[in-house]
Amino acid sequence: MIYILISICCSITVAVLLKLARRYKIDVVQAVTWNYLVAIFLAVVFFKPQVNDLLQRPAPVYMALGILLPVIFWFLAASIKNIGIVKTDIAQRLSLFLPILAAYFIFNEQLSTFKIIGLAVGMLAILLTLLKRNQQSGASSNWVYPLVVFFGFGIIDILFKQVALLKIIPYTTSLIVVFSIAFLISLVYMLTLAYQKKHKIALINVICGVFLGVFNFGNILFYLKAHQAFASSPSTVFAAMNMGVIILGSIIGVVLFKEKLSKVNYLGLCLALMAIVLITLSQIYVI
């Protein structure tokens, strides 16, 4: 369970760093760019890929992931800044419903009763969690960020499943290829902003990017290690990870950052946990 706990802490730390970015005037685009460079370095150190594998021609799905990863990371930061850690984490974690739907409509898997109920409860949880009373004019645009996070991470998960099925190169090596593409995309965008809008490349952004990269990669590394440790019970990892992030993220958001949640929002939080439990049970009991 220590791997799961470390992965949860790494995931929440990334959210906290993005939450603090505005306070310390961090340029998120720059930080995300250096984050991928650090992730590439750590992936090479820990996964020790074969050079021949890295020189393989990347499949189109790698390109799609390489573009989506930084873009959704920027929206993740915007969502945390505008609506907070609690709601953003729930939107991110409930994005798991999109791969489940894809499994049914694309890969022809059957939906069990638990999965169907879990999907319904999850969608209701999203609506209740994001509901805000007395919205100010223009505040409705804040809905865009968590919705993009929801759909973005769902699509990314589907694409990663496609990568796992390709078997062109080992999955861990595929991560390095995807991170490399994401870094190049981010670098081009960062340099474009630096040239057009005179955004200076500052050391503080590099430092934040290093921390982001370490914890972002740590989340992936220990999540994979947890699945190796619980190879016969993947649902344990799935449930513990998702519920752990939502619970810990909620505590940090409310206690440390004083994020305001209504009773309806708390109901949505409870339903989100219930939905994840139902999805987990669907992997154990097929009814």
Side-chain angles (χ1 to χ4, degrees):
M1 293 298 289
I2 186 64
Y3 292 144
I4 298 175
L5 180 61
I6 295 175
S7 183
I8 290 171
C9 290
C10 286
S11 178
I12 293 300
T13 302
V14 169
V16 170
L17 288 172
L18 292 175
K19 178 73 174 180
L20 293 173
R22 184 180 183 183
R23 180 181 300 177
Y24 294 100
K25 301 187 185 323
I26 302 296
D27 187 317
V28 173
V29 172
Q30 291 186 28
V32 168
T33 301
W34 304 123
N35 145 80
Y36 286 119
L37 184 60
V38 172
I40 293 168
F41 172 76
L42 293 175
V44 170
V45 171
F46 283 94
F47 297 149
K48 297 178 175 58
Q50 297 295 319
V51 176
N52 291 336
D53 289 334
L54 289 174
L55 295 178
Q56 292 281 347
R57 181 181 177 182
V61 67
Y62 294 162
M63 297 298 297
L65 273 171
I67 294 172
L68 272 178
L69 279 177
V71 172
I72 298 305
F73 214 140
W74 298 329
F75 272 96
L76 178 69
S79 182
I80 290 173
K81 182 178 73 174
N82 284 278
I83 70 167
I85 292 176
V86 179
K87 297 180 180 182
T88 300
D89 271 337
I90 291 174
Q92 181 182 350
R93 291 297 153 181
L94 289 181
S95 66
L96 62 95
F97 297 135
L98 295 182
I100 292 174
L101 290 174
Y104 177 75
F105 290 105
I106 299 176
F107 303 109
N108 298 318
E109 292 184 12
Q110 296 300 313
L111 289 180
S112 67
T113 303
F114 278 130
K115 281 186 179 180
I116 293 174
I117 297 174
L119 284 169
V121 173
M123 295 308 297
L124 179 59
I126 292 174
L127 293 176
L128 295 180
T129 302
L130 299 181
L131 190 63
K132 184 176 181 180
R133 292 178 299 178
N134 302 323
Q135 287 187 328
Q136 299 176 350
S137 58
S140 58
S141 62
N142 290 342
W143 282 68
V144 173
Y145 301 114
L147 287 179
V148 172
V149 168
F150 173 77
F151 286 105
F153 275 98
I155 294 171
I156 285 172
D157 194 14
I158 293 170
L159 292 177
F160 266 125
K161 291 182 186 299
Q162 291 279 15
V163 169
L165 292 174
L166 285 177
K167 304 297 182 183
I168 299 175
I169 57 178
Y171 185 72
T172 51
T173 306
S174 296
L175 286 176
I176 300 176
V177 175
V178 171
F179 285 153
S180 299
I181 296 172
F183 171 67
L184 291 175
I185 296 295
S186 298
L187 183 63
V188 170
Y189 185 52
M190 182 186 74
L191 294 177
T192 300
L193 289 178
Y195 176 75
Q196 293 183 343
K197 299 186 177 182
K198 308 302 181 183
H199 287 190
K200 293 182 179 180
I201 299 176
L203 179 61
I204 184 65
N205 300 322
V206 177
I207 295 173
C208 183
V210 170
F211 280 103
L212 270 180
V214 169
F215 288 105
N216 195 23
F217 178 77
N219 176 30
I220 296 172
L221 175 65
F222 288 102
Y223 186 67
L224 292 175
K225 284 184 174 293
H227 273 294
Q228 291 173 347
F230 291 90
S232 61
S233 183
S235 60
T236 300
V237 180
F238 173 80
M241 183 67 190
N242 285 279
M243 287 190 290
V245 167
I246 289 179
I247 293 172
L248 184 58
S250 299
I251 293 172
I252 290 177
V254 172
V255 175
L256 294 186
F257 294 103
K258 310 301 180 184
E259 294 180 6
K260 302 297 183 182
L261 296 180
S262 66
K263 292 181 180 179
V264 174
N265 295 152
Y266 280 114
L267 176 59
L269 173 61
C270 294
L271 289 178
L273 294 175
M274 183 186 300
I276 291 174
V277 170
L278 288 169
I279 296 298
T280 303
L281 289 175
S282 73
Q283 300 180 27
I284 304 173
Y285 306 104
V286 181
I287 62 172

